[in-house]
Amino acid sequence: MRITVRKKLLGMVLLFSVLLVIMGAIAIIGYGKINEFSPLVYGETKKAVIALKKARLILEYYRRSPRDDYLKEITEKIDFFYKQREELGYNKMVLDPLNRGFLSVFPEYQEAIDLFPVSRKREAETREAIAKLKEVYERQVSTAEEKDAAMADVTEKMKLLIDTAMDFSRIGGLVLEKAVQLVNRIVLFSLLTIFLIGTVLGVWISRSITRPLSLLSAATLAIRKGDFTQRVNVESKDELGDLATSFNIMVKALEESRDRLEEARNGLERKVKERTSELEQSKAQIENILQSQIDLVFVIDSEGNIMRVNRAALTTLGYREEELVGRHISEVFATQGLEKIIEKGPKRALKGERVIGHEVVVVSKDGKKIPTLFNAGPIKDANGNIIGAVSYTHLTLPTN
């Protein structure tokens, strides 16, 4: 399956979003439940405790002045406690499945559940004691001892009922405190989890991007130094993997091109060496031919200056080669009629004409005049341009 870098980044963003949504949902539900139970624990439960304490105080008033409105008010305080316990406590803590699932993780929750039947029993006993107290006080024949006993019984029952209400408040406070701690830990753990997952994913994605780029950079430097055997081994199925594959294909093509160029260069060098060898052989053959001629051979440039002479010319004229090379050809011929000789011989050859059997006289180093038959022809380059002339002078008389 092809997973591109873009998909990796989108997947990481999506995962972070899901984790943040989950953490947010946990925080909202947890803190929502805490806010829901906070008024019950710190408000309504305490109000019920205060109401029962007031009822016990009113009971003392009833002892001194037994009036029905006192008992009615005591009954109303007990009814208030009943309402707080059943409607706000039992309905929310036991009957609500979401709250029950949330609170059941705390050990104190079961203790609170166990208090409900105890509280109902004590409430019923308190109501019965109040009814009995009223009956005793309303009988004309009741003795003081009976009234005191009935009053003591109600007082004891009220005390137990107040203790039960205070236990509700205490246990509710513990549960709420632990709930806050639990939600805080869950949120903190979620944040740490998101951070760790983000760090791991970030490092993984970063390595999946930077490692291929580092390999490409190293391979590029090696190739720049001439090592075309370098290849980038990236197995990821993304754009960087495609880039590495294209890079390897390019390097292979460059390596093949370099090999072909190297082969062509080697072939060219071989041909140049072969051609050079052939030219040197040709040059040697020409030199041998030139030096083996019995005629006087002069090679001149386009200005008429002597470039080469053969051995026969040096021997006949008595010069060394360095004494003739660079001198003008006119200095070799007899001075009488020089212009005519130059015009009819070398100059005509330099114009591209061939001169055959022209009688000229050459002068040796010691001044001897030697009659010869002058032959000349032009020397052309590869483009047909005249770059010089070669002359052959054949001796007509023996030299002495």
Side-chain angles (χ1 to χ4, degrees):
M1 179 180 178
R2 178 181 172 84
I3 302 177
T4 63
V5 175
R6 183 171 178 268
K7 288 182 179 179
K8 290 179 182 178
L9 294 175
L10 289 177
M12 187 174 73
V13 172
L14 180 60
L15 178 60
F16 265 93
S17 301
V18 171
L19 291 175
L20 287 174
V21 168
I22 293 174
M23 187 196 74
I26 292 173
I28 291 173
I29 293 173
Y31 288 122
K33 292 302 177 183
I34 291 171
N35 292 331
E36 181 181 346
F37 282 106
S38 292
L40 176 63
V41 173
Y42 297 118
E44 302 304 326
T45 304
K46 288 188 176 182
K47 288 180 182 180
V49 173
I50 292 172
L52 291 176
K53 287 182 177 180
K54 286 183 178 180
R56 189 173 62 178
L57 181 62
I58 295 171
L59 187 61
E60 293 297 325
Y61 296 156
Y62 184 80
R63 182 197 300 270
R64 292 192 294 267
S65 176
R67 291 163 41 184
D68 290 342
D69 56 334
Y70 286 153
L71 292 179
K72 181 181 179 182
E73 189 172 355
I74 291 172
T75 302
E76 289 175 352
K77 301 299 184 185
I78 295 174
D79 291 340
F80 178 76
F81 169 69
Y82 167 83
K83 180 180 179 181
Q84 301 303 318
R85 182 193 66 207
E86 297 297 331
E87 295 183 6
L88 298 179
Y90 190 78
N91 291 346
K92 287 184 177 293
M93 295 178 64
V94 181
L95 299 183
D96 190 326
L98 184 59
N99 292 341
R100 184 171 64 248
F102 175 70
L103 297 173
S104 60
V105 298
F106 306 107
E108 293 81 3
Y109 174 72
Q110 188 59 45
E111 186 179 352
I113 296 300
D114 294 339
L115 274 178
F116 281 102
V118 174
S119 174
R120 294 188 184 107
K121 180 181 177 182
R122 290 178 179 178
E123 178 193 341
E125 290 174 350
T126 302
R127 291 181 186 274
E128 290 176 2
I130 291 173
K132 186 177 179 181
L133 176 65
K134 181 180 179 182
E135 179 185 349
V136 170
Y137 269 79
E138 287 180 350
R139 285 202 312 260
Q140 299 295 327
V141 294
S142 296
T143 63
E145 290 78 6
E146 289 175 338
K147 292 180 179 180
D148 290 341
M151 183 61 71
D153 185 46
V154 173
T155 301
E156 180 63 24
K157 296 296 190 294
M158 288 289 295
K159 181 180 179 302
L160 293 175
L161 192 59
I162 292 172
D163 290 341
T164 302
M166 293 181 68
D167 286 340
F168 271 121
S169 180
R170 176 183 59 81
I171 294 172
L174 289 175
V175 171
L176 190 63
E177 182 180 349
K178 290 189 175 182
V180 172
Q181 294 175 356
L182 176 62
V183 174
N184 288 340
R185 284 197 296 268
I186 291 174
V187 172
L188 179 60
F189 176 77
S190 300
L191 289 174
L192 290 176
T193 302
I194 292 174
F195 174 76
L196 290 176
I197 293 176
T199 301
V200 172
L201 287 177
V203 171
W204 176 66
I205 292 178
S206 176
R207 283 181 58 83
S208 67
I209 295 174
T210 58
R211 181 177 175 276
L213 293 179
S214 299
L215 293 176
L216 284 170
S217 177
T220 302
L221 291 176
I223 291 169
R224 194 170 71 179
K225 294 179 181 179
D227 184 8
F228 286 88
T229 62
Q230 290 291 320
R231 296 294 184 273
V232 179
N233 185 20
V234 178
E235 299 178 356
S236 58
K237 305 297 182 181
D238 54 19
E239 294 90 339
L240 293 173
D242 295 341
L243 177 61
T245 301
S246 300
F247 180 84
N248 292 335
I249 293 173
M250 179 194 70
V251 174
K252 183 178 180 181
L254 288 175
E255 184 179 18
E256 292 174 352
S257 297
R258 185 201 62 175
D259 292 341
R260 288 195 296 270
L261 288 174
E262 188 72 21
E263 184 179 354
R265 189 189 70 177
N266 294 334
L268 181 61
E269 288 180 352
R270 283 196 307 272
K271 289 181 179 180
V272 169
K273 289 180 180 179
E274 292 173 357
R275 183 60 177 165
T276 302
S277 176
E278 292 175 358
L279 290 175
E280 289 177 351
Q281 292 177 2
S282 299
K283 181 179 178 182
Q285 291 176 356
I286 293 173
E287 183 68 20
N288 289 333
I289 294 172
L290 177 66
Q291 298 299 335
S292 63
Q293 290 288 323
I294 61 174
D295 292 333
L296 281 62
V297 180
F298 299 89
V299 180
I300 61 177
D301 61 16
S302 59
E303 300 295 329
N305 298 314
I306 298 173
M307 297 171 58
R308 294 291 305 280
V309 292
N310 70 339
R311 191 181 298 111
L314 295 174
T315 302
T316 302
L317 299 178
Y319 286 102
R320 296 192 305 274
E321 184 174 4
E322 58 269 20
E323 292 176 330
L324 287 179
V325 173
R327 296 174 65 180
H328 198 271
I329 189 66
S330 61
E331 299 181 28
V332 180
F333 297 106
T335 55
Q336 185 177 6
L338 179 63
E339 291 298 329
K340 185 176 180 181
I341 294 172
I342 296 300
E343 180 67 29
K344 291 184 177 180
K347 281 190 176 181
R348 289 174 58 188
L350 291 173
K351 291 180 180 179
E353 300 179 13
R354 291 187 177 276
V355 180
I356 300 175
H358 185 73
E359 295 182 357
V360 295
V361 177
V362 295
V363 181
S364 65
K365 184 177 181 180
D366 56 5
K368 184 184 294 184
K369 296 182 179 179
I370 304 171
T372 63
L373 289 177
F374 181 80
N375 303 282
I379 299 175
K380 299 180 179 180
D381 60 14
N383 296 322
N385 300 316
I386 298 175
I387 57 174
V390 59
S391 66
Y392 296 85
T393 57
H394 179 68
L395 298 175
T396 57
L397 294 172
T399 58
N400 47 32

